């Protein structure tokens, strides 16, 4: 059932996003007087097709994209009476409008969905730190449980999601970041997180956990199984894991992942027990799961009730304010996507952060299981990413065509066929390389959990 939900969520997401993107091209092309021959969702052999006006609409066999085919002398002969409707005969500004319309349609979709979400109300997590690992970057910076983050480098913070995105941005920039927090006892204080020497492999969605802070404090909430490594190693109900082999584990997922990575190995686990910090030594049992050998200690964890109090709150906005929030969210996400891409190229961020279709499908399934709002937010994120990617100045992408038409506008004549052909080869090579890296990352994530 879980696999079915994942597949359906992925197919719906790709279908909606590709349809919106291609419809942007189609709508502007028609307004510019260009004849559209085919509107296809998917590539390859058509599975379903129908004629509407002068355009053939179709669903094709390979669902990873789509295209709009316009009348063009470079592809097929064009009757003299229809030359004025051929794409290649249009002035550069019209061609640029058609090309940019696809990515803009993706941004517009995100804005509309975010607008509806913000008007209908969304549940957010307060930007309050629930747990801090003492021997970690956050711990050394002086953060304590209960701190409420209000600003990061002058940017106002409203939710824990804001904290995560802002810190990823600052870490990727390799800077010393000023974080303003409100202390439980009252008053504001600034803390400095020094990201200048952070490992680029640590800059991902788990960054807050990697630097030693979590929005919720986790603890062992059931007695460890009799005879289990946790019970034999002295772990008790109420213990809060802080680190595994010296690496911070401020939340239970991080702790579980660290244990799973050490099957059959003697392991030192640091826990907080009341006011004490203890070092326990145990050996995770080696078990087979999904064809992989993982470690298991026989302990179950859950959030501390005190860290959940007042953590979630419902927020809703009026139409005008919601539109402003939607525009801001779309802009911030677009800017962060561009920054992260550039920082991958410049070496500040690892290419391990690239995701391919397997990871995208997995995220689609996860968000669908969390409910409609989470799934719609996922659609917004992927739609923005699709828009940003297509605007990159890479031949074969919309941004590459914009580059050619801009050069034609400035030079007064088209770019030579030789240059365009060479650009196509380079563009295809770059995209193929990125896809190989993304698929490799997907497979690695599946194998390592």
């Amino acid at each position: 059932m879980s696999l079915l939900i994942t597949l359906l969520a992925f197919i719906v997401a790709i279908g909606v996003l590709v349809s919106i993107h291609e419809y942007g091209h189609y709508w502007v092309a028609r307004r510019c007087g260009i004849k559209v021959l085919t509107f296809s969702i998917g590539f390859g052999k058509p599975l379903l097709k129908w004629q509407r006006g002068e355009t053939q609409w179709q669903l094709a066999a390979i669902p990873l994209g789509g295209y709009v085919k316009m009348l063009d002398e470079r592809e097929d002969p064009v009757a003299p009476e229809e030359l004025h409707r051929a794409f290649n005969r249009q002035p550069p500004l019209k061609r640029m409008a058609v090309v940019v319309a696809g990515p803009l349609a993706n941004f517009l979709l995100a804005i509309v969905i975010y607008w509806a979400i913000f008007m209908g109300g969304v549940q957010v997590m307060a930007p309050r730190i629930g747990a801090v690992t003492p021997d970690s970057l956050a711990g050394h910076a002086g953060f304590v449980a209960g701190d409420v983050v209000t600003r990061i480098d002058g940017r106002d913070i409203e939710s824990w999601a804001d904290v995560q995105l802002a810190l990823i941005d600052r870490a990727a920039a390799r800077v010393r970041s000023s974080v303003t927090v409100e202390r439980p006892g009252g008053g504001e204080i600034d803390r400095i997180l020094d990201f200048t020497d952070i490992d680029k492999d640590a800059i991902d969605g788990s960054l807050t956990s990697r630097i030693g802070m979590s929005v919720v404090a986790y603890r062992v909430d059931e007695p460890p199984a009799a005879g289990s490594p946790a019970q034999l190693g002295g772990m008790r109900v109420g213990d809060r894991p802080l680190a595994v082999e010296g690496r911070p584990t401020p939340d239970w997922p991080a702790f579980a992942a660290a244990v799973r990575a050490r099957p059959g190995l003697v392991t030192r686990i640091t826990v907080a027990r009341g006011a004490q910090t203890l070092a326990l030594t145990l050996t995770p049992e080696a078990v087979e799961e999904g064809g992989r050998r993982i470690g298991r200690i026989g302990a179950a964890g859950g959030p501390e009730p005190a860290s959940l109090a007042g953590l979630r709150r419902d927020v809703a906005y009026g139409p005008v304010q919601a539109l402003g929030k939607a525009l801001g969210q779309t802009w911030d996400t677009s800017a962060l996507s561009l920054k992260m891409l550039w920082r991958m190229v410049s070496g500040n961020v690892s290419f391990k952060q690239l995701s391919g279709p397997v990871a995208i499908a997995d995220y689609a399934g996860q968000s669908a299981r969390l409910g409609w709002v989470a799934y719609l937010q996922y659609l917004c994120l992927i739609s923005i990413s699709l828009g940003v990617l297509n605007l990159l100045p890479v031949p074969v992408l919309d941004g590459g065509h914009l580059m050619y038409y801009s050069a034609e506008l400035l030079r007064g004549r088209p770019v030579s066929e030789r240059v365009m052909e060479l650009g196509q080869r380079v563009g295809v090579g770059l995209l193929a390389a990125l896809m190989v890296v993304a698929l490799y990352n997907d497979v690695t994530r599946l194998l390592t959990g």
Side-chain angles (χ1 to χ4, degrees), residues 152-153 165-177 193-200 202-204 207 335-336 338-344 346-350:
I152 295 179
D153 288 333
L165 289 177
L167 291 184
I168 288 173
D169 179 45
R170 300 288 74 202
R174 303 298 182 88
V175 298
R176 287 167 53 85
S177 183
L193 283 172
D194 189 351
F195 293 120
T196 53
D197 296 320
I198 192 168
D199 182 354
K200 64 182 180 181
I203 306 172
D204 59 14
L207 176 68
L336 181 60
L338 272 175
K339 288 179 186 177
M340 293 299 283
L341 283 170
W342 170 247
R343 287 162 182 166
M344 285 183 194
S346 62
N348 278 7
V349 176
S350 173

Side-chain angles (χ1 to χ4, degrees), residues 113-114 116-118 120-124 314-315 366-381:
I113 294 177
Y114 276 137
I117 289 173
F118 289 134
V122 61
Q123 191 175 75
V124 300
D314 294 318
V315 179
Q366 291 181 36
S367 62
R369 286 188 286 273
L370 290 174
W372 278 106
V373 172
Y375 184 65
L376 289 174
Q377 289 174 325
Y378 159 83
L379 277 183
C380 289
L381 181 60

Side-chain angles (χ1 to χ4, degrees), residues 191-402:
R191 289 292 178 232
I192 302 297
L193 283 172
D194 189 351
F195 293 120
T196 53
D197 296 320
I198 192 168
D199 182 354
K200 64 182 180 181
D201 288 342
I203 306 172
D204 59 14
S206 301
L207 176 68
T208 51
S209 175
R210 294 178 190 276
I211 65 174
M213 64 169 67
S214 171
V215 68
V216 175
Y218 286 84
R219 64 178 184 179
V220 177
D221 63 356
E222 295 180 9
S228 67
Q231 192 263 338
L232 296 175
M235 191 169 281
R236 301 179 186 174
V237 172
D239 283 355
R240 183 164 63 84
L242 300 177
V244 173
E245 288 295 313
R247 301 192 65 174
T249 56
D251 56 36
W252 196 265
F255 173 67
V259 169
R260 288 164 64 91
R262 297 185 61 80
L265 300 176
V266 176
T267 301
R268 181 170 55 89
I269 295 177
T270 306
V271 301
R273 181 178 296 167
Q276 294 181 297
T277 299
L278 304 175
L280 307 179
T281 301
L282 48 84
T283 303
E285 178 187 4
V287 297
E288 291 290 327
E289 182 179 278
R292 294 184 296 115
R293 191 167 177 264
I294 65 168
R296 185 175 294 166
I297 62 173
E304 292 184 352
S307 70
L308 294 176
L311 179 62
R312 296 183 182 275
R313 61 172 185 260
D314 294 318
V315 179
Y317 303 91
V320 175
Q321 193 177 8
L323 180 59
K325 290 284 293 182
L327 289 168
Q329 184 73 42
T330 302
W331 175 264
D332 289 344
T333 305
S334 302
L336 181 60
S337 298
L338 272 175
K339 288 179 186 177
M340 293 299 283
L341 283 170
W342 170 247
R343 287 162 182 166
M344 285 183 194
V345 174
S346 62
N348 278 7
V349 176
S350 173
F351 273 98
K352 291 180 181 180
Q353 307 314 320
L354 276 178
S355 295
V358 176
I360 293 172
D362 184 43
Y363 299 149
Q366 291 181 36
S367 62
R369 286 188 286 273
L370 290 174
W372 278 106
V373 172
Y375 184 65
L376 289 174
Q377 289 174 325
Y378 159 83
L379 277 183
C380 289
L381 181 60
I382 301 301
S383 190
I384 292 170
S385 299
L386 184 61
V388 169
L389 178 65
N390 270 280
L391 285 176
L392 295 179
V394 177
V396 312
L397 296 178
D398 293 330
H401 294 299
L402 283 175

